[in-house]
Amino acid sequence: MKKLIPDVICESVFAIDLDKLKKRDISGLLVDIDNTLVPWGEPEMEGAFVAWVKEVKQKGFKVCLVSNAKKPRAENFATLLDIPAVGLALKPLGRAFRRGMALLNLGPREVAVVGDQLFTDVFGGNRLGIYTILINPLSTNELDSTKILRRIEQRILGKMVKLGHISAKHAQIRQGRE
Ligand SMILES: [Mg+2]
């Protein structure tokens, strides 16, 4: 279970403490797309998220999208945001995160993974020793297989609270959704 524990849980990308990341010498973000920056399957990214990526870049971070979505979807958003992307990433496999780090020219201690899923984003990042940030999914609309995984995620997060790995306050961020 250790590899499933996120370093931090945030309500959304907007709640990520960028100064705290800087203090940890993190200067790059490997960011998931679906349900992290865009509601799952939606073709457009809301302006607030585009602005967030811009702000992150202005603060001196390098950003790369790392998404299990098909390449054209990942590349469309990458073009919109003017950042690189690794599409069809097959997370939690390490390959895509390694590619993302290579594109940013940064190592595992210098980046953070940002995503909404324990089994892909958090597990994949932790396996490579990357700082992991779990956020609340933007939408409950997702693949049936993901819906099943969500129930398991909830149970695991509950267990993490019991064992003291994460705070109840943090786990609560995940409550109130199906
Ligand atoms: Mg996602």
Side-chain angles (χ1 to χ4, degrees):
M1 189 167 86
K2 220 175 147 195
K3 292 269 190 281
L4 288 171
I5 303 170
D7 287 290
V8 65
I9 303 179
C10 295
E11 178 79 47
S12 72
V13 291
F14 306 117
I16 295 172
D17 187 340
L18 297 169
D19 294 328
K20 201 174 137 194
L21 295 182
K22 272 208 169 153
K23 278 184 200 136
R24 299 188 68 103
D25 289 328
I26 289 170
S27 56
L29 298 182
L30 305 178
V31 187
D32 173 51
I33 297 176
D34 283 290
N35 271 345
T36 295
L37 292 177
V38 187
W40 183 81
E42 292 286 326
E44 306 275 345
M45 186 177 294
E46 270 184 43
F49 291 88
V50 179
W52 177 77
V53 173
K54 202 174 163 190
E55 184 202 325
V56 170
K57 288 198 286 182
Q58 274 167 355
K59 286 206 164 186
F61 290 88
K62 295 194 231 176
V63 188
C64 180
L65 299 174
V66 178
S67 170
N68 282 353
K70 287 182 185 148
K71 280 185 182 168
R73 179 166 172 79
E75 272 152 24
N76 277 346
F77 289 120
T79 305
L80 171 76
L81 300 167
D82 194 23
I83 55 175
V86 183
L88 209 65
L90 302 178
K91 291 178 284 184
L93 292 186
R95 196 174 68 179
F97 295 109
R98 277 192 220 104
R99 272 228 26 234
M101 287 190 280
L103 286 168
L104 299 183
N105 203 16
L106 293 171
R109 297 278 165 207
E110 300 168 303
V111 296
V113 165
V114 180
D116 68 295
Q117 288 200 52
L118 276 187
F119 297 106
T120 55
D121 305 302
V122 174
F123 182 66
N126 281 345
R127 277 172 70 204
L128 296 177
I130 299 173
Y131 190 84
T132 51
I133 302 169
L134 179 71
I135 59 111
N136 216 13
L138 291 177
S139 154
T140 52
N141 183 21
E142 35 197 2
L143 290 173
D144 283 341
S145 57
T146 309
K147 284 182 186 164
I148 294 165
L149 287 177
R150 291 293 184 200
R151 287 168 200 268
I152 306 171
E153 274 188 352
Q154 279 307 113
R155 243 176 277 159
I156 290 175
L157 285 167
K159 218 172 210 178
M160 283 179 195
V161 173
K162 265 191 203 153
L163 294 171
H165 294 313
I166 57 171
S167 72
K169 192 186 121 215
H170 273 145
Q172 256 172 22
I173 292 171
R174 278 303 186 97
Q175 281 168 7
R177 71 183 302 285
E178 253 260 289

